[in-house]
Each structure stands twice: as C-alpha cells, then as structure tokens.
C-alpha cells in the first residue's frame, strides 16, 4: 500500500474536549481515520500529548512528508518511522496522540489493502500463535467515583466482569443492559432519589454511605438476580487520585498505606465476588501493590497508572509479584505496535490483559479490534450507555 498524504481533523471527545482524528490517504484516493481518546486520571509516565492545534502543525510539517509516496507493508514498519521521527521515550517531539492517531489510521489502511478486518491484520503481525477467536470478559463500569464523578466515592470505578463465553456476546450484553438499568432503579429507591446522575463513563454517580457500599450493592444484586456464574466484581481505585503528601483520603479520613491495605483486606474478606483491584495504591508504590497481591493470591491486582502500557514496566511489576493483571491503553504508550508488544509480553509472563477505553472517549472502537487480535482476557469499556455503546457494538460486529 502506498501513502499519499496525512492530514488531521480537530474533533471532540465525550467530555467535549478537543482531540485529533488523523486522516491517511492512499495513492488510490482511499481515506482512513484514527481518533485518539483522553484520560483524566492519567499516569505520570504516559506518552506526551500535543495540543490538537500543535498536532495539526506537526502532522502537516513533519509526519505527512515522511510518508509521502511511501510504500508501507506492516504496522511495525509504520510505527518505527513514527518512533524515528520522535526519538524520545515519552513522545515529546511529535506527541503520543499524533503517533497513535496515525498508527490506528494506518492499521485500517493496511486492512483495507489486504481485504481483512483490522483485528486480522494485527493478529497476523503480532499474535500469529493465536488460532481461535475467544470473546473477552467485559469489564463494565456501573458505578463511578473519584475523578470521574462529582460524588463522595474515593474509588473511581465499580465494575462487573461479565463472562461472554457461556451465553455469547449478544445475550451477555442484553443482560448487562437490563442489569444496569435495574441497578439505577435500585439506587434511586435505596437513597430516595427522584433522578440519578451519571459519571464520565456512564456509571451511576450518586453519594454512597461509604466506599464499600457499592460493592455490597453489586454483590447483593448479582446474587438476587442469580448472576453469580456470569458476573464477578472489579474495582479501579485509581488511588493516585486520592493520595496526597503520603496519605490517602478515604471515607472522610486521611489514612496511611498500611491502613488502606487493611481496608482492601476486609473488602476481599467481605465480598466473595470481588475479583480484582486496579491501582490500589499511588502509582509509584509498587511494594504496596505486591503486598496486597501476595496476601490475596487468588485475586488479581491490576496495574494501570503503575504500568502505563510500557513493556519494560509491566515486566518489572509482574516479575516483582506486584500484579497479575494489566490495563492496556494504546494512548498511554503511543503506537499500536508498542501496545501489542506490551500485551504479548504480559501474556508470556502469565499476566491477564484488559484492553481499556479512556474516560474521554470517541466513536473510534480500535481497542476492541486490538483485544480480539490478541485474545485479551478482557475489555474495559464503561457502562452500556451513550458514547460507551460504540465499543459494545464493535464487540457485536466481531463476535456475533
Ligand atoms: C482508568 O483509570 O482506568 C481510566 C479509564 O480513567 P482515565 O481514562 O481517566 O485515565
Ligand atoms: Mg485505571
């Protein structure tokens, strides 16, 4: 496939913040796009983001000329050109958002040229050992707190992990939608609310009695609706968001790391269905992650801000015993190639991979294609409402 030109549109994400849509044209006049989402509770080691107006200048002046009339054959080749143009670890020169937008659009261009789906092209290049197509668990964020909601919860996300394998993806999503709607009615009744507010990822975002109350509510609802075989519970504490000067702000108190660990211990004791906790401590406190993982070997501690989709960091954290699960967010690292390398290494180390959206999302569903290519353990895609349904719909296109 030969590239003619690359341009960029400035578009808006689900929080009405400007982001970029990279537009790649091949020499036959076909056009392919890639849109970049944005996080709010970002890790300090994430790829640098250029302001969309600067991104437009960089694409016009630097990126497009590098691909002009260029024959490209693989995702790795394209991304190595982008990495070469940047030359910095954190993508400070041309920006992680510029690189990812172009990288995604190029995957679509390659897929078109080969008459394949994006996941097939990604699989052929990075995951050729995968022979079957296994639908991922859906991590669906039904109750929002932390940076994603204006309520009293320190913990950012209360998710159900829906098993899509037994009943199939369509039935599983239908049941999840029904569960989510009923949960909203339950919360209204429980707190005598005339209406209910939702957070950035479409989860319910009201005040609760404390940080455990949403877990208790989800557990009870899963049991009373006899969904124990289909659902477990996952948290994303996103603890850097409630950490300041050595202490965590939790249930109205400032507490230290040891006290927070004890609280998580009780959460695991009190909830049989609680399966995983993402970023339970501030993102540099790998020893604390490890201590929680060691105490609860049958549960999964997940790295996100801790690991920022960086292969070397994932490897270090996994080998240290700090995590047995990892979030993969392509815009944390900047290219499709690096995201796939991170997944590949995680799988080699026996770490469960969860390919994730950001809290500021768009209509671009590439994360689901990456998850399908890799047979990732899970996809984390919010509650089934509003712009979040685009990722659910992409699952349906691939798996049903
Ligand atoms: C997360 O922390 O996992 C998340 C999706 O939030 P954000 O995109 O705001 O980093
Ligand atoms: Mg997270």
């Amino acid at each position: 496939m030969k590239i003619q030109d690359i341009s960029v549109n400035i578009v808006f994400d689900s929080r009405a913040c400007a982001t970029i849509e990279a537009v790649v044209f091949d020499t036959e006049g076909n056009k392919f796009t890639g849109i970049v989402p944005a996080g709010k509770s970002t890790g300090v080691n994430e790829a640098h983001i250029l302001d969309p107006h600067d991104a437009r200048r960089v694409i016009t002046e630097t990126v497009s000329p590098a691909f002009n009339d260029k024959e490209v054959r693989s995702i790795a080749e394209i991304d190595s050109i982008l990495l070469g143009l940047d030359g910095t670890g954190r993508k400070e020169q041309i920006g992680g958002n510029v690189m990812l937008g172009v990288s995604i659009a190029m995957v679509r261009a390659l897929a078109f040229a080969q008459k394949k789906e994006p996941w097939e092209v990604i699989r052929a290049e990075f995951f050729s050992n995968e022979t079957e197509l296994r639908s991922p668990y859906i991590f669906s964020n039904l109750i929002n707190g932390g940076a994603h909601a204006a309520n009293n919860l320190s913990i950012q996300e209360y998710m159900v992990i829906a098993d899509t394998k037994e009943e199939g993806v369509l039935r599983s999503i239908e049941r999840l939608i029904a569960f989510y709607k009923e949960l909203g009615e339950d919360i209204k009744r429980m707190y005598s609310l005339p209406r209910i507010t939702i957070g950035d990822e479409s989860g319910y975002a009201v005040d609760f009695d404390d940080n455990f109350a949403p877990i208790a509510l989800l557990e009870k609802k899963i049991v009373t609706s006899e969904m124990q075989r289909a659902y477990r519970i996952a948290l994303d504490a996103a603890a850097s968001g409630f950490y300041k000067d050595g202490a965590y702000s939790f249930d109205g108190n400032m507490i230290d790391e040891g006290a927070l660990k004890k609280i998580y211990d009780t959460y695991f004791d009190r909830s049989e269905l609680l399966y995983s906790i993402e970023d339970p401590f501030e993102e540099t406190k790998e020893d604390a992650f490890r201590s929680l993982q060691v105490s609860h070997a049958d549960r999964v501690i997940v790295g996100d801000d801790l690991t920022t989709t960086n292969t070397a960091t994932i490897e270090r954290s996994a080998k240290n015993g700090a995590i047995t699960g990892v979030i993969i967010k392509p815009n944390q690292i900047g290219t499709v190639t690096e995201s796939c390398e991170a997944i590949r290494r995680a799988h080699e180390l026996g770490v469960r991979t969860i390919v994730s959206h950001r809290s500021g999302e768009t209509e671009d569903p590439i994360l689901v294609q990456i998850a399908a290519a890799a047979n990732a353990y899970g996809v984390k895609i919010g509650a089934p409402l509003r712009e979040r349904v685009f990722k659910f719909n992409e699952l349906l296109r691939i798996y049903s």
Side-chain angles (χ1 to χ4, degrees):
M1 177 201 43
K2 213 170 188 186
I3 304 301
Q4 175 77 60
D5 189 23
I6 307 173
S7 67
V8 64
N9 293 319
I10 295 177
V11 295
F12 294 90
D13 69 16
S14 54
R15 282 190 286 249
C17 295
T19 186
I20 61 160
E21 176 181 63
V23 187
V24 167
F25 295 90
D26 67 14
T27 46
E28 320 263 278
N30 300 303
K31 169 177 146 178
F32 308 94
T33 60
I35 317 182
V36 184
K40 199 190 254 176
S41 61
T42 49
V44 288
N45 292 319
E46 293 194 18
H48 181 71
I49 301 296
L50 282 192
D51 171 87
H53 295 276
D54 294 335
R56 172 173 271 168
R57 184 180 44 74
V58 166
I59 288 194
T60 314
E61 291 174 8
T62 309
V63 182
S64 187
F67 283 95
N68 209 285
D69 258 344
K70 191 154 185 61
E71 183 80 39
V72 287
R73 282 164 227 88
S74 72
I75 305 168
E77 180 192 356
I78 291 157
D79 289 342
S80 83
I81 295 171
L82 291 168
L83 289 164
L85 288 175
D86 184 82
T88 69
R90 281 196 55 229
K91 283 77 184 188
E92 270 130 0
Q93 289 302 313
I94 69 167
N97 51 342
V98 166
M99 290 172 78
L100 185 65
V102 174
S103 186
I104 294 169
M106 292 280 190
V107 168
R108 295 200 166 107
L110 285 171
F112 180 82
Q114 296 172 26
K115 297 192 172 54
K116 288 188 175 144
E117 294 296 319
W119 73 263
E120 295 175 296
V121 173
I122 299 169
R123 177 172 286 191
E125 196 167 332
F126 299 104
F127 304 103
S128 54
N129 58 322
E130 298 291 341
T131 49
E132 48 177 10
L133 187 59
R134 284 196 304 275
S135 58
Y137 288 94
I138 300 175
F139 285 62
S140 183
N141 181 5
L142 302 187
I143 296 174
N144 288 189
H148 296 166
N151 63 1
N152 66 349
L153 295 170
S154 296
I155 291 177
Q156 180 178 278
E157 300 171 22
Y158 295 81
M159 295 169 271
V160 294
I161 309 172
D163 183 353
T164 57
K165 291 176 184 66
E166 197 146 310
E167 293 187 313
V169 174
L170 175 58
R171 184 77 192 115
S172 171
I173 292 175
E174 284 171 344
R175 286 175 71 149
L176 181 64
I177 291 168
F179 186 90
Y180 167 69
K181 286 183 178 164
E182 278 176 28
L183 180 71
E185 295 307 314
D186 292 351
I187 294 172
K188 278 202 258 177
R189 247 191 327 272
M190 199 167 126
Y191 289 108
S192 306
L193 300 168
R195 66 194 74 81
I196 197 158
T197 37
I198 62 168
D200 288 6
E201 297 178 353
S202 290
Y204 300 118
V206 302
D207 283 343
F208 281 84
D209 292 342
D210 58 26
N211 280 284
F212 187 73
I215 304 175
L217 175 65
L218 286 175
E219 177 126 1
K220 187 164 165 232
K221 180 140 195 74
I222 291 170
V223 172
T224 52
S225 46
E226 295 186 358
M227 295 293 281
Q228 300 95 308
R229 283 187 47 231
Y231 288 172
R232 289 166 292 164
I233 297 170
L235 304 180
D236 179 4
S240 294
F242 55 90
Y243 175 85
K244 199 161 177 243
D245 302 331
Y248 296 90
S249 168
F250 206 82
D251 287 338
N253 302 307
M254 293 305 292
I255 58 173
D256 66 13
E257 192 174 282
L260 186 60
K261 157 125 188 343
K262 285 201 182 104
I263 290 173
Y264 293 138
D265 289 339
T266 64
Y267 283 12
F268 280 131
D269 289 345
R270 291 168 73 188
S271 170
E272 258 180 47
L273 293 175
L274 179 59
Y275 179 69
S276 63
I277 306 183
E278 177 183 330
D279 284 344
F281 300 99
E282 191 270 341
E283 66 192 79
T284 61
K285 310 285 186 257
E286 192 175 87
D287 287 348
F289 280 65
R290 182 175 181 280
S291 141
L292 190 62
Q293 182 66 82
V294 167
S295 302
H296 304 280
D298 57 335
R299 317 285 176 108
V300 175
I301 302 305
V302 178
D304 171 16
D305 294 346
L306 175 76
T307 40
T308 57
T309 315
N310 182 304
T311 303
T313 317
I314 293 168
E315 177 159 349
R316 188 202 64 210
S317 300
K319 285 187 171 165
N320 283 346
I323 55 167
T324 50
V326 71
I327 292 290
I328 300 292
K329 291 171 171 166
N331 79 327
Q332 283 182 326
I333 193 69
T335 61
V336 171
T337 296
E338 290 164 292
S339 306
C340 293
E341 283 167 352
I343 296 174
R344 215 162 48 189
R345 190 71 193 113
H347 286 177
E348 283 163 6
L349 292 160
V351 173
R352 288 173 173 76
T353 53
I354 304 150
V355 188
S356 171
H357 66 169
R358 300 306 306 246
S359 51
E361 260 304 332
T362 77
E363 64 268 42
D364 194 314
I366 196 75
L367 79 88
V368 180
Q369 297 279 341
I370 294 173
N375 274 338
Y377 180 79
V379 287
K380 182 170 131 166
I381 54 177
L385 191 74
R386 299 189 177 168
E387 77 287 343
R388 304 290 144 176
V389 300
F390 297 145
K391 311 301 186 282
F392 288 87
N393 288 345
E394 191 75 342
L395 283 170
L396 292 166
R397 285 182 201 105
I398 296 175
Y399 295 100
S400 58

